Amino acid sequence: MDGTSPAAAAVIERVLSYLDSKTAATCKTLNRPWYALATIQSARNIDCHILQLPLRIAHYRRKGLLRSARGLTIDVSFVEGYLSPAAYERRIRDAAGLLQDSHMPVCHLKLHAPGAHSALTNDEIHYGTMALGHLMRALPGLTSLDLSDCPALLLAPPSDVHLASLRQLRQLSWLSLGSNDMTSATVLRRMVAANARTLVKLNGKGDVTDQTLRLLCAAPNFQQLDASGSSISDDGLLALVRSRGSSLRELTLSDCARLTRQSIAQLTPKLLPRLGSLDLYNVLVTTDTYQCLFNAQTSWPYLRDLKLKAAIPRASPRQDSLANDDILEAIGRNCPRLVSLKLFGCHGTTDSGLSAVLGNLGYLRELVVMHQPTDPLDQEDDAGSAVAQSTVTHTPSGSSSGANVSTAAAAAENDLLSSLPSISDIWASIPALPSNGLPQHGANTHHSVQSPPSTAPNSPCPADTAGGATSGQRVFTSGALRNGVRSQRFNLLNLDMTYDSVCAEHLAKLSHLHTLCGRMITRHAKSLIENQFPKCKMMVWNID
């Protein structure tokens, strides 16, 4: 494809948008059309400090690329000792004025300030707020605004002078205040109110409140909400779902501590018919709530990403707080287009439930199903599933083995363990791999990781692993693959499973596999998977 025809140029330009800067620079050496298209693509975004913006605009004008810029990433941090206060203010005004006079078709703006998580001086607040206000006035046609790297004090200083310029943005469709705290919630509400008719996606996270959700009820084009870690309540969520549920595509509600079954149980396909992504990680729900979301009568035809993990209440029995086989079977039957499925704390699941998921879902690329909950206080398993006490407690060095631990010390130890991340949370942070499943440039060759024994509660690698999994601990077996694996293009397969030769034979039928995680793997199964997928990264806790 030489790029001489308009159709070929359109395809090349589309491909270049997915390449990194190094690969795009290599594409410039092919021929003249590729050089021109790659140069234009690399000029889409301008990344510089606000004081360097005039020089960058002059460079783009000389190269004839001024009309190619679509995004700006501007650093508005204060450079101490560089200029006098009067000269510093003049440089900021000149940069904003030159940006406005250049008539660049910029529609995406991201502001960055390195002091986002530290105490700011008066000069940093003053000049950062000034730069923010001038940039907002210079780009009234913005459709995407990312303020996630800005300190909250720049967004909500004692004087709300710059809010007038923020309210002038009437065409925003994507807004992010991801790294701020509740001090910027007022700014978020005002910007949502000003852009209610055009807003499509809101990445407000902890700044989202019930008042913001009520403003979104009047947004006719709103589709995607990220309110993770926020203080929204059942009333606010139900108001949004009942008014805008027919148009919602993505709903991220992870770590929303105030949400209960009253609202979560009503997130059904009847109210959310076109929902494509649902994240309920660490939300206080029970098994009956999951049964309301996924049962024989509910069908999710457009759901592609699903992430569930119950925040187990301390006073609630475990069997009433986690997923079971019925829920997995309902997911496998009524969510046919799932691409990513991540379930944690599936205490009641067996091979039957996992088999229903693997045998019915043909579009899966990422699958994570873990038995272990992440609340160390809920250690008691059902009958026949108790872990040996030696894997939970340990004796400090220098003390007798029969020494009794005081009640205060035991409580302190429980508090410490509850603050530590569990293995499930660590595995949940594994980044998603490309959905196209192609090997990545510079990918590391296959390697296996054997974790040392752990004495932490809920660890999938208990101390007694000499004979495989600890006696009584529930893990998936090769019986979960008795119905086969319908999806043939897995990027990530993370199961609380003991992989044997039967499992390896089923997995060998896949077209590719990037990452495989599990409890234990036999040497024969490891050899089979290595031969089939030489670049697969295997993360298993024990090799037998």
Side-chain angles (χ1 to χ4, degrees):
M1 185 181 296
D2 56 3
T4 54
S5 65
V11 173
I12 292 174
E13 188 173 4
R14 182 70 173 175
V15 170
L16 287 172
S17 62
Y18 293 98
L19 303 180
D20 55 19
S21 57
K22 183 177 180 180
T23 308
T26 304
C27 293
K28 294 182 180 181
T29 61
L30 295 178
N31 52 34
R32 288 181 179 273
W34 274 87
Y35 177 84
L37 293 173
T39 302
I40 293 175
Q41 181 62 36
S42 62
R44 295 288 184 184
N45 186 75
I46 299 177
D47 187 354
C48 64
H49 194 276
I50 189 171
L51 300 182
Q52 300 172 339
L53 186 58
L55 295 177
R56 190 61 58 89
I57 293 177
H59 171 75
Y60 269 57
R61 182 178 284 111
R62 287 196 307 270
K63 296 292 184 179
L65 301 173
L66 203 59
R67 307 299 299 176
S68 300
R70 295 293 183 272
L72 286 177
T73 302
I74 303 298
D75 188 348
V76 296
S77 57
F78 173 64
V79 182
E80 187 176 1
Y82 180 65
L83 294 170
S84 63
Y88 204 93
E89 294 183 5
R90 185 169 61 252
R91 286 285 189 93
I92 294 177
R93 293 192 180 93
D94 292 344
L98 184 60
L99 180 62
Q100 185 174 10
D101 296 338
S102 63
H103 301 290
M104 299 172 63
V106 174
C107 53
H108 310 288
L109 176 62
K110 179 177 182 179
L111 297 182
H112 175 68
H117 302 287
S118 60
L120 300 181
T121 64
N122 293 333
D123 288 336
E124 289 175 333
I125 296 176
H126 173 71
Y127 292 112
T129 304
M130 177 186 298
L132 176 63
H134 283 292
L135 289 174
M136 294 301 102
R137 285 189 290 270
L139 300 170
L142 284 178
T143 60
S144 174
L145 180 60
D146 188 352
L147 303 177
S148 58
D149 288 340
C150 287
L153 291 176
L154 296 187
L155 304 178
S159 59
D160 287 345
V161 178
H162 74 286
L163 286 179
S165 59
L166 292 175
R167 287 194 294 268
Q168 293 177 1
L169 302 176
R170 303 285 180 175
Q171 303 177 23
L172 282 182
S173 61
W174 190 92
L175 176 62
S176 174
L177 274 73
S179 300
N180 296 297
D181 51 29
M182 292 305 296
T183 58
S184 55
T186 303
V187 177
L188 181 65
R189 287 198 302 270
R190 296 186 182 184
M191 297 185 68
V192 169
N195 298 273
R197 301 196 63 82
T198 59
L199 195 62
V200 175
K201 180 178 180 180
L202 176 62
N203 187 13
K205 295 189 177 181
D207 294 317
V208 180
T209 60
D210 286 346
Q211 296 177 351
T212 306
L213 295 184
R214 293 188 179 92
L215 292 174
L216 293 174
C217 294
N221 301 315
F222 188 70
Q223 297 180 3
Q224 304 175 28
L225 172 66
D226 186 349
S228 56
S230 66
S231 60
I232 60 175
S233 64
D234 293 331
D235 294 337
L237 179 60
L238 288 177
L240 176 65
V241 170
R242 289 168 180 169
S243 59
R244 307 300 330 152
S246 59
S247 61
L248 281 178
R249 301 293 189 272
E250 296 183 10
L251 200 56
T252 303
L253 304 173
S254 60
D255 297 309
C256 292
R258 296 181 61 190
L259 294 182
T260 65
R261 182 186 185 279
Q262 179 183 355
S263 60
I264 300 299
Q266 299 190 40
L267 302 180
T268 60
K270 185 177 181 180
L271 291 178
L272 301 166
R274 301 185 67 84
L275 190 68
S277 177
L278 179 61
D279 187 345
L280 296 177
Y281 185 83
N282 206 26
V283 178
L284 191 63
V285 294
T286 53
T287 301
D288 58 345
T289 307
Y290 288 154
Q291 291 174 346
C292 293
L293 299 179
F294 308 100
N295 53 56
Q297 288 75 32
T298 59
S299 177
W300 297 87
Y302 296 99
L303 192 63
R304 293 175 56 85
D305 299 293
L306 178 61
K307 186 176 182 181
L308 302 177
K309 181 236 171 184
I312 308 173
R314 297 186 179 183
S316 175
R318 276 185 51 175
Q319 60 268 22
D320 190 36
S321 304
L322 303 171
N324 53 33
D325 281 344
D326 294 337
I327 295 171
L328 261 67
E329 291 173 2
I331 291 174
R333 181 175 56 251
N334 299 326
C335 304
R337 296 190 179 183
L338 271 182
V339 175
S340 175
L341 176 60
K342 299 179 181 180
L343 307 176
F344 302 93
C346 302
H347 174 70
T349 57
T350 63
D351 291 345
S352 177
L354 182 59
S355 177
V357 170
L358 290 172
N360 293 330
L361 300 178
Y363 294 97
L364 275 180
R365 301 293 182 269
E366 300 176 359
L367 178 61
V368 179
V369 182
M370 299 297 298
H371 282 109
Q372 300 294 337
T374 56
D375 191 344
L377 296 178
D378 293 323
Q379 294 300 311
E380 296 180 0
D381 211 333
D382 14 0
S385 299
V387 182
Q389 185 69 18
S390 59
T391 64
V392 179
T393 60
H394 60 279
T395 304
S397 59
S399 62
S400 62
S401 59
N404 295 326
V405 182
S406 64
T407 305
E413 182 178 2
N414 285 338
D415 293 339
L416 175 62
L417 291 175
S418 63
S419 65
L420 296 175
S422 68
I423 295 296
S424 299
D425 290 327
I426 295 174
W427 285 6
S429 64
I430 296 176
L433 294 167
S435 59
N436 57 13
L438 297 176
Q440 299 300 300
H441 295 285
N444 295 330
T445 57
H446 162 75
H447 65 278
S448 60
V449 178
Q450 183 174 1
S451 175
S454 172
T455 58
N458 300 321
S459 173
C461 45
D464 183 16
T465 56
T470 304
S471 175
Q473 283 193 324
R474 176 175 295 163
V475 294
F476 296 118
T477 65
S478 57
L481 304 177
R482 61 181 179 270
N483 293 333
V485 182
R486 185 176 178 185
S487 177
Q488 301 299 309
R489 300 181 63 84
F490 273 102
N491 292 325
L492 170 64
L493 193 59
N494 184 357
L495 304 177
D496 199 3
M497 175 178 281
T498 299
Y499 296 100
D500 54 14
S501 300
V502 178
C503 296
E505 291 175 0
H506 282 282
L507 296 179
K509 299 176 183 179
L510 304 180
S511 60
H512 67 269
L513 183 64
H514 283 297
T515 305
L516 180 68
C517 304
R519 179 75 65 92
M520 188 185 74
I521 188 170
T522 63
R523 296 189 181 276
H524 184 220
K526 178 175 177 289
S527 176
L528 292 177
I529 296 176
E530 283 178 348
N531 294 334
Q532 180 66 21
F533 308 103
K535 294 186 178 180
C536 177
K537 297 180 180 179
M538 299 173 61
M539 303 175 65
V540 291
W541 299 105
N542 189 30
I543 301 177
D544 186 8

